[in-house]
Amino acid sequence: MTGVGDLFALALDTIRETFKRPFAARETLEQFWFVVSVSWIPAMLVAIPFGAVIALQLGTLTVQIGAQSFTGAASVLAVVQQAAPIVTTLVIAGAGGAAICAEIGTRRIRDEIDAMRVMGISPVQRLVVPRVIACVLAAVLLNGLVSVVGVLGGYFFNVVVQGGTPGAYLSSFTALAQLSDLWVGEIKAVVFGFVAGVVACYRGLNTAPGPKGVGDAVNQSVVITFLLLFFVNFVITTLYLQLVPGKGA
């Protein structure tokens, strides 16, 4: 339980230190570029089969119940609301987050973190804040990219593979989708990116001594991020479905 409290404390400290000066803008831009550069290609490659599986499964189901005209709406909403934010954050946590954890963990075992504190420099403000902001910005941008790729992949497999009608696919989406569906996907991307960045930095700052400690911290950061990701997704999805009525409801 102490670790959980420390993780939440680091998250609150990160939010507080974000608004303090000086702001490490250069470090933030460098970390943002790094996270995007190692994540965007894997995210696109993972988004294609995700969109295809969702379209194929929903296409088969709608044919069985005689609701083929709603295949487009169901598959697109599933990609935008659920698949895109999850895929984006999983890739960011597995690629960018792991590298961030390894870097901070290496600084930790070299006593650089303690040296920064001795010199009066806040490790949270200097190291954690730029990396968390970079993960959040990368998650927001990649979420849009993954959404587009997933929707196009679902469209291709539904229309070409299953013989669906392009007009029905698009018209059902515009009939049932609403702008709040896109917003909740972006909100999830912000929250998930923040979680991925904070967990990676937390495990890096609390790395055990030695190279083995760094490797264990990286593995733990990825696993913890995945677990928190699905829990937070459940909470946000439940609140959204309860508070925001569906179009036409």
Side-chain angles (χ1 to χ4, degrees):
M1 295 302 293
T2 303
V4 176
D6 292 340
L7 178 61
F8 277 97
L10 179 61
L12 295 177
D13 290 340
T14 302
I15 297 175
R16 184 184 61 194
E17 296 286 344
T18 301
F19 302 98
K20 288 188 177 181
R21 296 295 180 267
F23 179 73
R26 182 182 180 87
E27 180 79 8
T28 302
L29 290 176
E30 291 177 352
Q31 293 297 323
F32 168 73
W33 175 251
F34 168 74
V35 174
V36 171
S37 64
V38 300
S39 302
W40 74 276
I41 293 180
M44 289 181 60
L45 295 178
V46 174
I48 295 174
F50 252 88
V53 169
I54 291 174
L56 293 174
Q57 184 65 50
L58 290 177
T60 303
L61 179 62
T62 53
V63 168
Q64 293 176 343
I65 62 177
Q68 298 93 324
S69 59
F70 295 101
T71 302
S75 60
V76 171
L77 290 178
V79 169
V80 173
Q81 288 188 18
Q82 304 294 332
I86 291 177
V87 168
T88 300
T89 313
L90 290 180
V91 174
I92 289 178
I100 289 173
C101 180
E103 179 194 1
I104 297 181
T106 303
R107 292 173 180 262
R108 173 69 176 178
I109 65 176
R110 291 177 179 173
D111 294 328
E112 294 182 20
I113 305 298
D114 294 333
M116 293 177 65
R117 293 193 176 100
V118 170
M119 291 186 293
I121 301 174
S122 172
V124 175
Q125 184 181 15
R126 182 64 181 84
L127 299 177
V128 177
V129 170
R131 286 157 177 80
V132 172
I133 293 179
C135 289
V136 171
L137 295 177
V140 172
L141 295 180
L142 291 179
N143 179 67
L145 177 63
V146 171
S147 298
V148 172
V149 174
V151 170
L152 293 178
Y155 175 86
F156 174 81
F157 280 91
N158 178 256
V159 174
V160 177
V161 177
Q162 293 184 314
T165 305
Y169 189 95
L170 297 176
S171 62
S172 65
F173 169 59
T174 56
L176 296 180
Q178 51 188 344
L179 189 59
S180 60
D181 298 321
L182 177 62
W183 281 116
V184 72
E186 292 296 333
I187 291 173
K188 285 184 178 181
V190 171
V191 176
F192 295 169
F194 180 81
V195 170
V198 170
V199 171
C201 294
Y202 169 76
R203 290 306 308 145
L205 291 173
N206 294 274
T207 300
K212 183 178 182 299
V214 176
D216 292 341
V218 171
N219 293 333
Q220 292 171 7
S221 71
V222 175
V223 173
I224 293 173
T225 301
F226 284 11
L227 294 176
L228 289 178
L229 170 65
F230 289 107
F231 174 75
V232 174
N233 180 64
F234 167 75
V235 174
I236 296 178
T237 301
T238 302
L239 292 176
Y240 174 74
L241 294 177
Q242 293 295 323
L243 298 177
V244 180
K247 192 173 182 179

